[in-house]
Amino acid sequence: MYLYEQIQQAKNYGAYKELPKYIPDNLNPSFELRPYQKDAFCDFITYFENEALCRKPTQTLFHMATGSGKTLIMAGLMLYLFKQGYRNFLFFVNLSNIVQKTKENFLNRTSSKYLFADEINIDGEKVKIREVNNFQASDPNEINICFTTIQGLHSDIWFVKENSVSIDDFRDNKIVLISDEAHHLNVDTRRGNKKEIENYRSWESTVKSIFEMNNQNVLLEFTATCDLANENIKREYENKIIFDYPLKKFREDGYSKEIRTMRSDIPIMERALQAIVLSQYRLKIFEDFRISCKPVVLFKAKTIAESKAFMKEFIDTVKNLNGSVLERLASITEIDTMKKVYSYFEKNGITFEQLAQEIKEAFGEDKCLSVNEDSEAEKNQIIVNSLEDADNPYRAIFEVRKLDEGWDVLNLFDIVRLYETRDAKNGVPGKTTIAEAQLIGRGARYYPFKVEEWQNKYQRKFDKDLDHPLRVCEELYYHCQNESRYIAELYRALKEIGLYMENTVTRTYKLKDEFKADPLYQQGYVFYNERLIKNRSEVTGLSPTIRNHSYDVTIATGRAAEDTIMLGEEGTKESSVTTYTKHTSFAEMARINYSLVHRALRKYDVFKFNRLKSYFPQLKSISQFIFDDNYLGNVKIDITSRYEDPSPAILYEACVNVLKKIATSISSIEETYEGSKTFIAKYIREVFKDKRVNYTNPTDGGLGVSQNDSTVPMAWKLDLSKENWFVFEDNYGTSEEKAFIAYFKQYVDKLKAKYDKVYLIRNERQLAIYSFDGGERFEPDYLLFLHSPKVNGYEQLQIFIEPKGTHLVKNDGWKEDFLLQLESNAIPVVKFADDNNYRIWGFHFFNRDLRRKEFDEDMNRLL
């Protein structure tokens, strides 16, 4: 079992540590901690403070994707270990250019990537960070960091030099060793020659010698590429990998750009021009949304000589560029993205000649940088790691292999491959293709931005809205030759590092022409509310998403299993254990044993009364917090254990487990919101349009599959292109949604007998409403518009409907509560008064198992 899996068990049993406030408080506030980064900290702290689990000296490996913020984790762990009494930190890595970059991140306060707060304060004392060459004269009140390379460390230890680290530094001092790109320390030696094997073994031996000199030493290793397929490495690190967040998960969670290839048969220089035209278009899209970002293009050559030659030719080509060259390039393109680019320029009155002049300025010689020269490596490393800065002028980077590791760049959006050779054998990607895939992985780091207050600036926002102008600003384009064998090899290499999802499909929600011609679509209104900041004095409880949530906890079931894998036998023998589930709540437990709940609260600082009072000014006492339904009182807990009547110890563990989650939610509160009861109007045509959506791994009859697909159950299968009440040509929603569509069809004729217009619209993240109580964002899956004429004007009923899977009904209860509040609370308001009567309703969840009776009653009200 991997170490991180053991930590997960500790989490399940309530032995999990929360994130100390001093860590985020002393990191650069520009780097908002992401959920997985908080988990990484908590996993280490839980391990380090667990005497039964933590080995001494302590060695852990953080296996985290490129771009996931490993250096920020290093900085936070430095703060934590300083608090635990550590003062000396040795940072080492394989490449000297990474050392220079890291120094900028840890020491240079003026750097945009400086990791710490302007002032570090721990326990009321100011703490400074200082660089040292050795630990002989380290300051006992400061964080002392020695930066070196693996090679330099090995040399300094075994070949003593003046004013450098020596073996004596480690005899009496406890040290934190931090190894970045740690896979170099444990390279698969079978791939190298004898000399390389000896070198790697000696480096590894040096680090091991230092590490084992003091039982209190800590070795923190970080890498994105731990070769767990190698049995030797897996065996060595199985009990050391404390956190696992691979590139595949990083991408699926939306923290990377999406990868797209732009393949063409045009000459390489024209391919390069096409890339910078796309880059200039992206710049303008950012500007249209008032986002400051300077997109960068990387030109990847095979050799330094070829890189130099191409850079010179590129500079000359740009210097002599004119509109006719770009017009010809536009005329021969068959790529949809580039057609969209040229259409944008035309619509905005930018001629080809004007575009040529812009490019000459944006990609002139002073905006081009070659990073191939060793003599310029240190200076160039600082430049390429500050490409996002406003005062960094470079738009074009030319390189061969200098940026394969240690490059932190967010505003790279285009990579142009300047050669067309392949090195695969039997379809297996060669070293060059693998290196290209890894470079793409570095470029896939997401450039953070947001255009709406509710959006997360660090995650992709337009996977479900592929036609949004800013979608191109969430994509990295790899420009290469249109050669099928090479593309197959590249995709295979991308898939191996977790960047290519072959089961992603694009579906289009296309509005029917007859609906677009209807006056309701052209001139009709859809109503929605806005989220407002709530005065803290008006906050009278936990948000509905917390207080109406039902938490499942499994404790001490005694389940176990054994596998027979020898002697030709197969199968698993699983122990048969009878379990019971107790349904309870905090108020119910406190009425039986108040001290049990109160003791669980005391485990977390956030539940101290003074802290709670700062979040909830109306709170009168801890007792009110425990019993009142607006706070913990009605928070439900389902405890599964071997006992029909769980012991106080099990109840306590369950309380601690749930309170940990609630504590995290409360600690993250910055503002409190409410949803306005005034619903403002917007033209339906401005909200609901044709929309392309990506779906990953569509399953039989489920999300991403047509309602008319053969895998959809016959009872739900429908050709919606022939149903005039459904405004889109098809539906690709979940199986529960498809069941709802089939159910709704049964009512259509009855509805049409009463209303002159009946339209059902699927809401694919095009309209959001906010709960009245907590201001939680909610995008109901469907809107039903019912329309009937009256003497003056007409009556319009707008109904929000949410099909909900059985497994989600309980925990999404706040959404259903909100829907049912709409009829009596939502006030529709139009900008200009008219004679029409607008009403806004919401129905119960549609669920065949749990809500059929209620939904039937809702529908019958319409008749």
Side-chain angles (χ1 to χ4, degrees), residues 681-742:
K682 198 168 187 176
Y683 285 123
I684 294 175
R685 69 174 188 271
E686 294 176 347
V687 176
F688 296 104
K689 305 174 183 179
D690 294 352
K691 187 168 183 180
R692 292 186 306 134
V693 179
N694 272 347
Y695 291 108
T696 301
N697 298 323
T699 53
D700 289 352
L703 191 64
V705 176
S706 164
Q707 182 108 20
N708 200 33
D709 191 82
S710 60
T711 61
V712 174
M714 283 304 298
W716 309 341
K717 191 170 180 291
L718 274 175
D719 182 356
L720 289 170
S721 66
K722 297 176 181 177
E723 304 289 342
N724 59 14
W725 48 269
F726 194 74
V727 304
F728 291 108
E729 295 283 354
D730 207 341
N731 171 45
Y732 303 100
T734 63
S735 56
E736 198 69 39
E737 290 182 52
K738 291 182 173 72
F740 162 67
I741 294 291

Side-chain angles (χ1 to χ4, degrees), residues 389-628:
D389 293 358
D391 59 353
N392 186 312
Y394 296 102
R395 290 285 301 276
I397 308 297
F398 299 81
E399 74 102 30
V400 177
R401 293 199 62 184
K402 288 293 182 183
L403 303 178
D404 285 1
E405 286 188 347
W407 187 26
D408 298 325
V409 62
L410 303 175
N411 58 334
L412 174 65
F413 292 93
D414 297 276
I415 299 175
V416 185
R417 188 178 193 255
L418 301 179
Y419 47 95
E420 299 191 347
T421 55
R422 298 168 43 242
D423 64 351
K425 292 183 179 179
N426 301 319
V428 178
K431 288 183 179 180
T432 302
T433 308
I434 291 170
E436 290 162 0
Q438 291 170 341
L439 178 63
I440 290 171
R442 291 207 160 271
R445 296 174 185 225
Y446 188 79
Y447 186 87
F449 69 88
K450 64 179 180 179
V451 290
E452 301 286 350
E453 184 277 330
W454 55 269
Q455 292 174 332
N456 185 322
K457 66 190 259 185
Y458 298 103
Q459 290 175 288
R460 294 192 307 275
K461 298 148 193 67
F462 305 110
D463 286 0
K464 297 289 183 72
D465 191 359
L466 301 182
D467 294 316
H468 194 286
L470 280 168
R471 175 60 180 180
V472 74
C473 300
E474 297 187 328
E475 297 172 324
L476 172 74
Y477 277 80
Y478 187 67
H479 303 256
C480 60
Q481 75 270 28
N482 188 21
E483 207 276 319
S484 59
R485 288 179 299 173
Y486 169 71
I487 294 300
E489 293 155 11
L490 177 66
Y491 281 8
R492 182 168 177 178
L494 288 170
K495 185 178 180 181
E496 286 178 2
I497 66 171
L499 273 178
Y500 176 62
M501 297 292 289
E502 62 184 26
N503 290 327
T504 297
V505 298
T506 301
R507 305 296 190 203
T508 300
Y509 284 91
K510 182 175 175 54
L511 286 169
K512 293 171 181 169
D513 291 338
E514 56 266 34
F515 176 67
K516 289 193 288 187
D518 193 292
L520 178 68
Y521 181 74
Q522 291 295 327
Q523 300 300 325
Y525 294 120
V526 60
F527 293 90
Y528 64 99
N529 69 340
E530 295 180 318
R531 187 166 77 160
L532 308 173
I533 294 178
K534 194 173 185 178
N535 189 308
R536 290 227 63 87
S537 64
E538 299 173 5
V539 179
T540 58
L542 295 166
S543 70
T545 49
I546 299 174
R547 69 170 186 255
N548 295 335
H549 194 79
S550 181
Y551 296 86
D552 296 313
V553 181
T554 300
I555 297 175
T557 62
R559 286 179 180 147
E562 60 179 351
D563 299 314
T564 304
I565 57 175
M566 302 295 286
L567 304 176
E569 296 177 316
E570 295 180 2
T572 299
K573 295 180 181 179
E574 190 164 321
S575 60
S576 177
V577 176
T578 300
T579 62
Y580 302 90
T581 299
K582 181 177 179 62
H583 307 285
T584 186
S585 67
F586 276 101
E588 185 179 335
M589 283 191 287
R591 278 190 285 270
I592 298 170
N593 190 339
Y594 180 84
S595 64
L596 181 149
V597 176
H598 193 263
R599 183 160 57 94
L601 281 171
R602 291 203 305 268
K603 278 191 66 71
Y604 304 104
D605 287 343
V606 74
F607 294 122
K608 290 179 178 177
F609 183 70
N610 289 342
R611 285 278 301 276
L612 285 174
K613 187 78 172 173
S614 68
Y615 290 111
F616 309 105
Q618 301 296 325
L619 185 66
K620 299 294 191 295
S621 65
I622 289 292
S623 178
Q624 181 190 5
F625 186 73
I626 292 172
F627 286 105
D628 194 317

Side-chain angles (χ1 to χ4, degrees), residues 139-177:
D139 192 312
N141 299 311
E142 296 180 359
I143 294 175
N144 306 276
I145 312 178
C146 178
F147 297 92
T148 185
T149 62
I150 255 182
Q151 302 93 322
L153 177 64
H154 174 72
S155 175
D156 289 343
I157 291 299
W158 303 117
F159 306 97
V160 179
K161 305 172 196 171
E162 187 177 354
N163 202 32
S164 64
V165 291
S166 70
I167 203 72
D168 294 329
D169 282 350
F170 306 104
R171 294 195 191 282
D172 301 314
N173 293 316
K174 60 180 184 181
I175 306 289
V176 178
L177 299 93

Side-chain angles (χ1 to χ4, degrees), residues 318 355-367 393 395:
V318 169
L355 180 58
Q357 291 303 313
E358 284 188 19
I359 288 174
K360 288 168 81 167
E361 170 63 26
F363 290 90
E365 184 171 2
D366 60 333
K367 309 293 172 52
R395 290 285 301 276

Side-chain angles (χ1 to χ4, degrees), residues 79-350:
L79 297 169
Y80 170 74
L81 290 168
F82 178 88
K83 170 90 169 170
Q84 307 308 309
Y86 290 83
R87 297 296 182 266
N88 299 320
F89 298 82
L90 177 65
F91 176 92
F92 58 95
V93 72
N94 184 51
L95 300 174
S96 58
N97 63 324
I98 301 179
V99 172
Q100 297 305 318
K101 175 207 74 169
T102 308
K103 283 186 180 182
E104 283 285 295
N105 295 347
F106 281 92
L107 303 175
N108 184 2
R109 290 189 182 185
T110 65
S111 169
S112 61
K113 295 185 178 178
Y114 181 64
L115 294 165
F116 298 98
D118 288 338
E119 184 178 280
I120 298 175
N121 190 305
I122 298 178
D123 294 335
E125 298 291 333
K126 292 182 182 179
V127 178
K128 292 183 179 180
I129 297 175
R130 63 195 291 259
E131 181 183 7
V132 296
N133 293 319
N134 57 61
F135 299 123
Q136 295 300 315
S138 62
D139 192 312
N141 299 311
E142 296 180 359
I143 294 175
N144 306 276
I145 312 178
C146 178
F147 297 92
T148 185
T149 62
I150 255 182
Q151 302 93 322
L153 177 64
H154 174 72
S155 175
D156 289 343
I157 291 299
W158 303 117
F159 306 97
V160 179
K161 305 172 196 171
E162 187 177 354
N163 202 32
S164 64
V165 291
S166 70
I167 203 72
D168 294 329
D169 282 350
F170 306 104
R171 294 195 191 282
D172 301 314
N173 293 316
K174 60 180 184 181
I175 306 289
V176 178
L177 299 93
I178 303 175
S179 172
D180 195 10
E181 305 293 354
H183 55 279
H184 287 293
L185 195 61
N186 304 283
V187 71
D188 182 359
T189 55
R190 287 172 299 178
R191 295 182 181 178
N193 59 39
K194 189 171 187 297
K195 183 177 179 182
E196 289 173 333
I197 292 172
E198 290 171 354
N199 279 338
Y200 279 116
R201 283 175 177 167
S202 62
W203 298 343
E204 190 168 354
S205 175
T206 296
V207 173
K208 188 176 181 181
S209 297
I210 295 171
F211 172 60
E212 292 178 348
M213 240 173 223
N214 190 314
N215 191 48
Q216 297 302 307
N217 282 349
V218 176
L219 172 57
L220 306 174
E221 298 186 68
F222 295 82
T223 183
T225 53
C226 185
D227 184 14
L228 295 176
N230 182 308
E231 283 300 321
N232 293 328
I233 291 178
K234 181 181 178 182
R235 187 164 47 249
E236 174 67 22
Y237 278 92
E238 191 168 13
N239 62 354
K240 298 181 179 70
I241 300 178
I242 195 165
F243 193 71
D244 186 54
Y245 194 67
L247 191 54
K248 184 175 186 292
K249 184 75 166 66
F250 184 65
R251 176 194 175 276
E252 289 173 351
D253 287 348
Y255 289 108
S256 72
K257 300 185 186 86
E258 281 289 25
I259 310 300
R260 298 195 65 181
T261 55
M262 188 170 285
R263 312 189 300 273
S264 60
D265 296 322
I266 58 179
I268 288 176
M269 184 54 71
E270 291 187 359
R271 191 182 300 156
L273 290 176
Q274 187 167 262
I276 61 177
V277 168
L278 177 58
S279 182
Q280 197 64 7
Y281 163 73
R282 196 179 279 106
L283 174 71
K284 291 186 176 299
I285 294 297
F286 272 127
E287 290 174 345
D288 288 347
F289 286 87
R290 299 182 179 180
I291 299 168
S292 177
C293 178
K294 173 202 65 183
V296 170
V297 182
L298 175 71
F299 297 96
K300 170 81 169 173
K302 193 171 184 180
T303 67
I304 292 177
E306 290 173 2
S307 183
K308 284 182 178 179
F310 181 83
M311 181 175 175
K312 182 179 184 304
E313 183 185 358
F314 175 84
I315 291 170
D316 291 342
T317 300
V318 169
K319 188 181 296 182
N320 297 304
L321 190 64
N322 57 53
S324 61
V325 172
L326 296 179
E327 186 171 9
R328 176 187 166 279
L329 199 59
S331 68
I332 63 173
T333 188
E334 294 297 327
I335 300 171
D336 288 341
T337 298
M338 294 310 300
K339 289 179 180 178
K340 185 177 180 180
V341 167
Y342 291 120
S343 174
Y344 171 90
F345 289 132
E346 183 180 358
K347 286 178 181 177
N348 286 274
I350 301 171

Side-chain angles (χ1 to χ4, degrees), residues 840-858:
I840 302 168
W841 288 7
F843 280 179
H844 288 85
F845 285 158
F846 175 84
N847 179 272
R848 291 160 289 154
D849 301 322
L850 303 177
R851 291 292 188 275
R852 182 62 181 263
K853 178 176 178 292
E854 292 85 349
F855 201 86
D856 284 346
E857 292 172 354
D858 290 338

